[in-house]
Amino acid sequence: MFLKIFFFLFTILLSINTFADSATPASATSVMPAMGTPAYYLVLARQQTGATQQHSLLLAATEYVKRKRYPKALQILQVIVPTQLNAEDVAPYQLLVARVNLLLSKPAIAINILQTMGPVNNLSIDAQTARDNLLAVAYEQVNRPLDSITTRLDLALLLSDPQAEKQNLQEIWKLSQQLSDTTLNQLASDPTQPELQGWAALTLIARQDHANPQRLIQDLRNWQTTFPKHPASVMLAQVLPDAEKLLTVPKHIAVLLPMQGDWAPQAQAIWQGFLYAYYQTDPSLRPMLSVYDTQGADITDVYEHAVKDGADFIVGPLLAADVTKIVDSSDTISTLALNYSSDKANNNVYEFGLSSENDANQIADRMTQDGLSRIITITLDSPASQALRDNFIQQFNQRGGTVITNINVNNQTDLDEAIKDSLDIPQSYARKNQVQAIVGGKLVFTPRRRQDVDGIFLNVLPAQGRQIIPLLQYYYASEVPVYATSLIYNGVPLAIQDSDLNGIIFPDMPWVNAPTKAMRKAQQDLQNLWPQSYQNYAKLYAIGIDAYNLIPELNRLKIFPQSMYAGDTGDIYLSNDQHLYRQLSWAQFDNGRIVSLPATKAQA
């Protein structure tokens, strides 16, 4: 075992000093790495034995986790000899092994470790808290929501920080919505577990039809009477005072869209999707519909006109500048805008649509949770794309990542040269020429790309992506994971052309990445009705469908924090600023086709 650890440490330390991982040439003099770095603890471990050595290895692995280098952390943890650990290092070691496996999408291993940690009463409060939190996340990842809930109920007894308590309640509420009706009804009728019973009863209320706000309010007050000391009462107390202001079922919906001009094709696709959803509902429940053309008109005038015509609910407008005008207005009725305004909120206006910022935030989460920390960005050379890139970089930096360089793509960009330069291929040739000049003869040579790149972010069109991926493969970066925004795919399968996009991971709406049977039927119907428009604007049809179906769901989303509507465009949540946020699904190109991926790993 000593030899195994020695050679492992020798290999790790050697890799630390290679040219690819160092910004400066190695000197002849041995220099102690900076204190507190993984390399520092590995150097110490090389000079130690027994429990002291194991402790230094544990510290090195901990530092790698802080730097989000999870595979490297696991590599070190696998060398640690648990039987040689000091008693006080055993629980931290087990918790770290579980956490790293969880972050590397191995929740089953994490569950096994956490369940075998020994008697809970032998653990400190901090260790018990960490154990329950990790176990709850692991159960969620393997789709065991009830086990996750019961673990979080245990966790609640250990928490003392108000913010942590609130977050735990929100997680329990989110998990309760994943339970089946059968399970909820069983729990709601079981008085032996009063806390679970209360959560189940509240979830069943949330699943009811919310067309009648007064009935909803009465059901909630009855729940409070039945479960007066339940933890969720705190959550309800924050929203019930405003419950009287909830929406009633609209009788006349006015849709405000630019039906002529440059945005007409997009507006028509949204309108057609909206109509499709409208005609799927019971005829006796359909409200009156009116559509108003906003092209070339003052949006305030159009809005007022619709209200004067009797509209009690507005859908639209579509353009961001128009949405901002409506949000800034003090004279609004209930409105579902189809774009996003500035940061200002209006209690009557819900903002919904396709948001590139939404893509960027979720990709930043996924890349860091997948252990990536040093990346290259390749983005379109346009104001909108640059704004998205800047937002992504900000989000990625906040999560501890670094963007090494960026490639701006336009019609004049030589992608071959740009990608070759970003990967330092010319420098590799220069080093070869230097060595060749010294030895005075030709060398057998394979260029070496820079080794500090562990990920690539794309915001480009499919045609550009089909050039970029083969070039990355040609320049020895085929193993570097590539993440793209939903711009990489327009929603229409083109298997032959898209084989050049193989390997790209991207978030998008379930309509594209994971369509249900009902979605596939709707897609077929829409393609039959409007084949050319659907070919160009498939995703906007889903926006139209969700826009209609969201209207009766707004009561539930507003009154139940962390509630979600499973829409065609994503799992939709309502934020405090009245923005409807879409949690996207994940997919990857494989043989030119879209293959669904598991959801983003929860942070452990």
Side-chain angles (χ1 to χ4, degrees):
M1 179 56 70
F2 173 79
L3 287 176
K4 178 181 177 184
I5 294 175
F6 177 84
F7 284 117
F8 168 76
L9 292 172
F10 180 80
T11 302
I12 291 291
L13 290 168
L14 185 64
S15 70
I16 290 169
N17 291 300
T18 57
F19 178 85
D21 290 333
S22 178
T24 59
S27 69
T29 305
S30 177
V31 178
M32 189 68 174
M35 185 177 293
T37 63
Y40 172 81
Y41 293 116
L42 290 172
V43 170
L44 286 182
R46 189 181 179 189
Q47 301 165 358
Q48 298 165 336
T49 59
T52 306
Q53 182 186 65
Q54 306 305 309
H55 182 73
S56 292
L57 289 172
L58 182 58
L59 291 175
T62 302
E63 290 302 318
Y64 273 127
V65 170
K66 290 179 182 177
R67 290 160 174 77
K68 303 187 186 298
R69 299 186 65 182
Y70 309 129
K72 187 73 75 175
L74 185 60
Q75 189 180 9
I76 294 172
L77 289 167
Q78 288 170 339
V79 174
I80 290 176
V81 184
T83 56
Q84 293 184 14
L85 288 166
N86 285 325
E88 61 268 23
D89 281 340
V90 173
Y93 163 74
Q94 292 173 316
L95 291 169
L96 192 62
V97 175
R99 183 183 178 200
V100 171
N101 276 285
L102 199 53
L103 290 164
L104 290 174
S105 297
K106 299 175 182 177
I109 295 176
I111 290 170
N112 184 59
I113 293 167
L114 295 166
Q115 288 179 334
T116 57
M117 280 188 67
V120 173
N121 56 6
N122 290 344
L123 300 175
S124 68
I125 295 296
D126 286 346
Q128 290 181 55
T129 302
R131 174 191 175 276
D132 286 354
N133 188 56
L134 289 170
L135 192 55
V137 174
Y139 281 139
E140 183 178 3
Q141 286 191 18
V142 296
N143 196 29
R144 292 167 61 178
L146 183 55
D147 287 331
S148 186
I149 290 171
T150 55
T151 303
R152 288 198 173 278
L153 293 178
D154 292 338
L155 176 61
L157 302 175
L158 302 170
L159 297 174
S160 57
D161 176 63
Q163 187 58 39
E165 291 175 344
K166 179 180 178 182
Q167 179 64 33
N168 194 51
L169 285 178
Q170 291 174 340
E171 289 296 325
I172 293 172
W173 174 243
K174 182 180 74 173
L175 289 161
S176 70
Q177 296 175 77
Q178 299 174 25
L179 299 175
S180 67
D181 286 347
T182 300
T183 299
L184 288 170
N185 281 307
Q186 289 173 346
L187 293 172
S189 59
D190 182 5
T192 64
Q193 302 181 79
E195 200 161 334
L196 264 178
Q197 183 186 27
W199 283 112
L202 186 61
T203 306
L204 288 170
I205 293 172
R207 288 189 182 176
Q208 295 172 5
D209 181 10
H210 305 104
N212 185 338
Q214 297 307 316
R215 177 186 168 189
L216 174 60
I217 293 168
Q218 187 57 52
D219 287 343
L220 291 173
R221 298 206 183 283
N222 290 342
W223 180 91
Q224 284 185 311
T225 301
T226 306
F227 303 97
K229 296 182 179 180
H230 196 277
S233 294
V234 177
M235 191 171 67
L236 278 182
Q238 298 171 354
V239 294
L240 269 178
D242 295 326
E244 302 291 344
K245 303 175 185 176
L246 290 175
L247 306 172
T248 56
V249 179
K251 296 176 180 165
H252 182 182
I253 299 175
V255 182
L256 281 50
L257 290 169
M259 304 301 281
Q260 302 178 68
D262 293 343
W263 290 96
Q266 293 90 335
Q268 289 284 354
I270 293 171
W271 170 238
Q272 288 159 1
F274 191 90
L275 278 179
Y276 179 83
Y278 175 80
Y279 283 110
Q280 303 309 302
T281 57
D282 185 333
S284 65
L285 301 176
R286 293 174 193 160
M288 177 181 174
L289 278 188
S290 302
V291 61
Y292 294 79
D293 185 9
T294 62
Q295 174 62 26
D298 183 292
I299 190 62
T300 305
D301 293 340
V302 178
Y303 192 98
E304 291 176 353
H305 185 190
V307 174
K308 287 179 181 177
D309 286 348
D312 55 359
F313 194 98
I314 302 289
V315 174
L318 177 62
L319 304 184
D322 288 346
V323 174
T324 298
K325 282 187 179 180
I326 298 304
V327 169
D328 289 342
S329 172
S330 59
D331 190 16
T332 55
I333 63 172
S334 297
T335 301
L336 179 64
L338 297 175
N339 209 323
Y340 297 92
S341 66
S342 58
D343 294 335
K344 184 177 179 181
N346 181 322
N347 287 333
N348 286 331
V349 182
Y350 302 86
E351 300 179 34
F352 171 67
L354 297 178
S355 167
S356 57
E357 182 178 319
N358 195 29
D359 280 25
N361 292 349
Q362 293 184 50
I363 295 172
D365 275 339
R366 181 98 187 197
M367 293 184 82
T368 52
Q369 290 169 18
D370 286 352
L372 308 181
S373 60
R374 293 177 61 83
I375 69 168
I376 293 171
T377 61
I378 306 176
T379 55
L380 293 173
D381 190 11
S382 68
S385 182
Q386 297 310 304
L388 179 145
R389 183 202 67 188
D390 291 345
N391 177 71
F392 169 79
I393 291 174
Q394 179 185 17
Q395 296 296 325
F396 193 60
N397 287 345
Q398 288 175 359
R399 292 159 175 79
T402 300
V403 174
I404 299 169
T405 188
N406 178 70
I407 298 173
N408 289 324
V409 179
N410 56 43
N411 292 334
Q412 284 74 47
T413 302
D414 185 334
L415 283 170
D416 185 289
E417 286 296 320
I419 290 173
K420 180 168 63 176
D421 289 346
S422 71
L423 294 172
D424 284 357
I425 300 299
Q427 287 87 328
S428 183
Y429 277 98
R431 291 192 295 273
K432 184 265 292 188
N433 292 336
Q434 289 173 355
V435 174
Q436 193 166 269
I438 293 171
V439 301
K442 289 188 176 181
L443 301 175
V444 177
F445 170 72
T446 299
R448 178 179 171 86
R449 67 166 178 85
R450 66 187 301 168
Q451 297 297 300
D452 59 345
V453 177
D454 56 21
I456 294 171
F457 168 82
L458 296 182
N459 184 51
V460 297
L461 297 168
Q464 293 152 335
R466 295 182 191 116
Q467 299 176 62
I468 290 168
I469 297 303
L471 285 170
L472 289 171
Q473 294 169 346
Y474 182 75
Y475 288 119
Y476 312 102
S478 59
E479 79 286 4
V480 177
V482 179
Y483 296 72
T485 64
S486 56
L487 190 62
I488 199 68
Y489 185 57
N490 71 354
V492 178
L494 297 170
I496 296 175
Q497 296 95 315
D498 288 345
S499 62
D500 283 332
L501 300 176
N502 284 347
I504 293 179
I505 298 168
F506 68 103
D508 211 331
M509 55 181 66
W511 181 265
V512 169
N513 285 351
T516 62
K517 183 178 179 180
M519 290 182 204
R520 287 193 292 270
K521 179 184 182 303
Q523 290 168 353
Q524 189 59 57
D525 290 344
L526 292 166
Q527 288 180 76
N528 291 338
L529 290 167
W530 298 286
Q532 189 57 51
S533 177
Y534 188 86
Q535 184 80 10
N536 295 327
Y537 304 108
K539 297 179 185 180
L540 294 181
Y541 280 89
I543 287 288
I545 291 172
D546 272 357
Y548 181 79
N549 290 332
L550 269 169
I551 295 171
E553 295 290 334
L554 292 173
N555 278 341
R556 178 170 66 88
L557 296 178
K558 188 149 191 168
I559 200 168
F560 294 107
Q562 299 295 311
S563 289
M564 174 269 289
Y565 169 68
D568 292 357
T569 61
D571 290 343
I572 302 171
Y573 300 84
L574 180 65
S575 64
N576 292 333
D577 59 2
Q578 295 287 100
H579 286 198
L580 288 156
Y581 170 82
R582 296 182 303 117
Q583 183 69 44
L584 304 173
S585 57
W586 287 87
Q588 186 171 30
F589 284 99
D590 183 17
N591 291 322
R593 301 184 184 279
I594 300 302
V595 177
S596 295
L597 294 178
T600 305
K601 295 189 288 291
Q603 274 286 25

